Amino acid sequence: MKILFDLLPVILFFVAYKFAGHDPSAAHELATRILGGGIEATQAPILIATAVAIVATAGQIAWVWLRHRKVDTMLWVSLGIIVVFGGATLFFHNPTFIKWKPTALYWLFGITLAGSELLFRRNLIRKMLEAQVRLPEPVWTRLNHAWAAFFLGMGALNLYVAYNFSEEAWVNFKLFGGMGLMLLFALAQGLYLSKYIQEETS
């Protein structure tokens, strides 16, 4: 349920885009009513989906705050990035900005993980996970490097898909490709760490 909740803005973005694409004339009318004139019919689905993602992310934070009176830093960062890049897409009627949003988020995570270790000798992956699992120091270092490289690579892959495939293909990749690759990477990391966990418990 937590995974679904975390993915809610991405899922609603996908659903809104698909629904708007099924009725372009209605989507164009709605987008024009909300955002004003100068919108082409082909732009309406991505603009509506972007607006839905912004509202969903804000609603997500409001729900977390009401339930726990505390919001994770990652959620605030996600809101800031979707507001900046999504807002630019809505203001300029240009989908390029929202296509850069996942890359900005991935690269921010990757640079933060790598930079914290290089500049401050802080392993953020260890800080997040050491309460749940005990690992040798070299393994923590490899884990941090792996996640940093993964996020940097995902940012580049997002741009490759965005600029070399159709808009619809990018929307599909944003949900199924991006989340699928992250799940596979996490599972691979789990398999890699399992032998150390077994050694710890034996």
Side-chain angles (χ1 to χ4, degrees):
M1 290 300 296
K2 186 181 185 306
I3 292 174
L4 288 176
F5 181 76
D6 290 342
L7 291 178
L8 185 62
V10 178
I11 294 171
L12 292 180
F13 177 91
F14 175 84
V15 171
Y17 182 87
K18 295 299 182 179
F19 267 102
H22 281 306
D23 194 346
S25 59
H28 183 239
E29 181 181 350
L30 177 61
T32 301
R33 188 182 307 164
I34 296 173
L35 301 173
I39 298 174
E40 298 179 9
T42 56
Q43 294 176 319
I46 196 72
L47 295 178
I48 290 174
T50 298
V52 167
I54 294 173
V55 173
T57 305
Q60 190 179 46
I61 286 182
W63 174 259
V64 171
W65 172 254
L66 290 173
R67 288 288 302 273
H68 306 290
R69 296 296 175 182
K70 182 182 179 181
V71 179
D72 291 339
T73 302
M74 188 177 298
L75 278 178
W76 285 118
V77 171
S78 296
L79 177 63
I81 289 179
I82 188 64
V83 167
V84 170
F85 287 86
T89 283
L90 298 180
F91 184 80
F92 294 108
H93 303 167
N94 187 339
T96 299
F97 297 101
I98 194 62
K99 290 180 179 180
W100 269 85
K101 180 261 176 184
T103 291
L105 192 62
Y106 286 135
W107 283 355
L108 177 62
F109 289 159
I111 291 171
T112 300
L113 290 175
S116 293
E117 184 175 354
L118 290 173
L119 299 178
F120 306 107
R121 303 301 178 187
R122 294 186 62 194
N123 187 317
L124 296 183
I125 293 294
R126 178 174 185 169
K127 183 177 177 61
M128 288 187 291
L129 298 179
E130 63 182 350
Q132 287 77 39
V133 61
R134 295 175 61 184
L135 298 171
E137 187 61 35
V139 176
W140 282 120
T141 300
R142 288 196 291 270
L143 203 60
N144 197 71
H145 291 170
W147 276 105
F150 174 77
F151 283 129
L152 294 174
M154 285 296 296
L157 181 59
N158 176 72
L159 291 183
Y160 177 81
V161 174
Y163 283 99
N164 290 278
F165 295 88
S166 68
E167 182 178 276
E168 184 173 5
W170 174 77
V171 170
N172 292 335
F173 171 79
K174 180 176 165 63
L175 177 61
F176 300 109
M179 295 303 104
L181 287 172
M182 185 170 292
L183 178 60
L184 289 174
F185 184 75
L187 289 174
Q189 293 258 315
L191 291 173
Y192 170 70
L193 296 179
S194 63
K195 62 179 181 179
Y196 296 101
I197 296 174
Q198 290 169 1
E199 290 174 359
E200 182 67 28
T201 57
S202 59

